[in-house]
Amino acid sequence: MFLLHPPEIRELEVFTRMPDALRRRESSAWADANRGGQATDSFLEGPVFDEAGNLYVADIPFGRVFRIDPAGAWTPVAEYDGEPNGMKFLDAHTLLVADYKNGLMRIDVRNGAVTPHLQRRNTERFKGVNDLVLDGQGNIYFTDQGQTGLHDPTGRLYRLRPDGQLDLLLGNVPSPNGVALSPDGKLLYLAVTRGNCVWRVPLLADGSVAKVSQFFTSYGPSGPDGLAVDAKGRVVIANPGLGYVWLLNARAEPIVVLRGPAGASTTNLAFGGKERSTLYVTDSTHGNILMAQLDAPGLMLHRGRHGA
């Protein structure tokens, strides 16, 4: 990669740490398959903010969702037989969850009730859904990653319309992960973790996609994961294999690199805080939430039009 100007290098700060009392010191099927059997007391993902400024995060291996208040205090919201990953709010009280084990699920954050939203396609189970984003028309874009990679480039990108129609937009992705939309909603950015890159997916007026291209190329042992877009249209990328967060300009050139602590796995991110200009990042290796102040707010996230 050739850069005319070197990026600004900054360190991510710890906002809060999962309390020891909430950490699980036991094995899990998810960690056996996805962490090489390493002892994993938690694995945080899916950060998203509610209207009151509370941050919600998922703990994949133990099927848990937590609420973190602006002071950094943790409260359990739900625990169930699932593997929750990416999350977005459908309305003020309902989280829509990309659950690797169960498909798309809903969680009522008032009482922790968990109900199905979309578990199967034509009676067939998904490979393992990972992340999601909603547009201004109520469409839900979500990735179906499973165990795909360069050895098996059959990961999928779906769109679920408000009327229930499910469209397969891409079926050739080696490990589709995070998704984010451009400010005008005409482009979707797709993290391709095992391809170590981010794809640019034009969303055409007839509902199809075409001329999908590779927007950004990373390096290292594990590629881009969670994505976000700021009000300037710049793409923000969580890169767990490097412990970095990239902030890219319109040419996909890194202009800021945020570094996590040694050994950090920076898996996903969300804008919050005053004027949504603070970036919060899940450090899944340590069970921490990291943070950094940026010079522009994140885009306001759309909510759903799907029946509850």
Side-chain angles (χ1 to χ4, degrees):
M1 181 187 301
F2 172 75
L3 299 175
L4 290 173
H5 305 286
E8 177 188 359
I9 309 298
R10 295 172 52 194
E11 306 299 324
L12 287 160
E13 303 174 5
V14 176
F15 164 60
T16 185
R17 178 181 182 275
M18 175 183 276
D20 289 342
L22 296 176
R23 295 174 184 261
R24 293 280 175 86
R25 287 153 178 88
E26 57 192 75
S27 62
S28 67
W30 183 89
D32 288 345
N34 294 282
R35 298 287 293 166
Q38 297 179 39
T40 304
D41 62 16
S42 62
F43 197 90
L44 302 180
E45 260 279 8
V48 64
F49 281 88
D50 68 11
E51 295 172 346
N54 298 302
L55 175 62
Y56 290 75
V57 295
D59 177 22
I60 300 176
F62 301 112
R64 299 185 292 176
V65 172
F66 297 97
R67 178 171 52 247
I68 304 171
D69 71 19
W74 296 59
T75 302
V77 171
E79 182 173 349
Y80 68 105
D81 182 16
E83 293 170 351
N85 199 318
M87 305 190 296
K88 295 293 186 293
F89 274 97
L90 280 177
D91 56 45
H93 306 295
T94 308
L95 279 172
L96 182 64
V97 180
D99 183 310
Y100 187 92
K101 186 174 183 178
N102 297 308
L104 298 181
M105 305 293 285
R106 292 195 300 267
I107 297 178
D108 188 327
V109 299
R110 295 169 296 186
N111 56 25
V114 182
T115 54
H117 190 84
L118 179 69
Q119 293 186 293
R120 299 194 293 175
R121 177 179 186 266
N122 295 332
T123 72
E124 180 185 29
R125 292 285 181 181
F126 295 105
K127 294 174 180 286
V129 299
N130 185 285
D131 208 352
L132 72 164
V133 69
L134 291 87
D135 70 11
Q137 289 71 52
N139 296 301
I140 301 167
Y141 296 88
F142 67 97
T143 52
D144 188 22
Q145 180 187 50
Q147 297 293 312
T148 62
L150 292 176
H151 69 295
D152 175 23
T154 60
R156 299 177 285 201
L157 171 69
Y158 285 106
R159 175 179 55 222
L160 178 61
R161 304 189 190 210
D163 64 4
Q165 178 178 325
L166 183 64
D167 305 315
L168 176 61
L169 300 181
L170 295 173
N172 64 329
V173 191
S175 194
N177 201 321
V179 281
L181 292 166
S182 63
D184 63 7
K186 294 182 179 180
L187 291 173
L188 182 141
Y189 296 100
L190 172 64
V192 182
T193 303
R194 306 305 163 195
N196 231 320
C197 58
V198 174
W199 287 7
R200 181 182 182 274
V201 183
L203 303 173
L204 304 183
D206 65 359
S208 66
V209 302
K211 294 186 177 179
V212 176
S213 61
Q214 188 158 308
F215 177 69
F216 173 73
T217 304
S218 183
Y219 59 91
S222 178
D225 190 330
L227 303 179
V229 174
D230 72 10
K232 296 182 178 181
R234 302 178 302 184
V235 180
V236 190
I237 304 169
N239 203 140
L242 301 173
Y244 292 173
V245 172
W246 307 96
L247 174 61
L248 308 181
N249 65 16
R251 295 158 59 101
E253 297 166 332
I255 55 176
V256 178
V257 178
L258 303 172
R259 298 192 300 193
S265 180
T266 46
T267 51
N268 213 330
L269 34 80
F271 282 93
K274 187 177 181 180
E275 300 178 349
R276 300 190 316 281
S277 59
T278 303
L279 188 71
Y280 293 83
V281 183
T282 49
D283 172 6
S284 300
T285 306
H286 298 120
N288 292 337
I289 306 297
L290 310 175
M291 61 183 289
Q293 189 71 29
L294 297 182
D295 64 354
L299 284 182
M300 181 73 75
L301 295 177
H302 295 289
R303 294 192 172 181
R305 299 181 182 179
H306 294 240

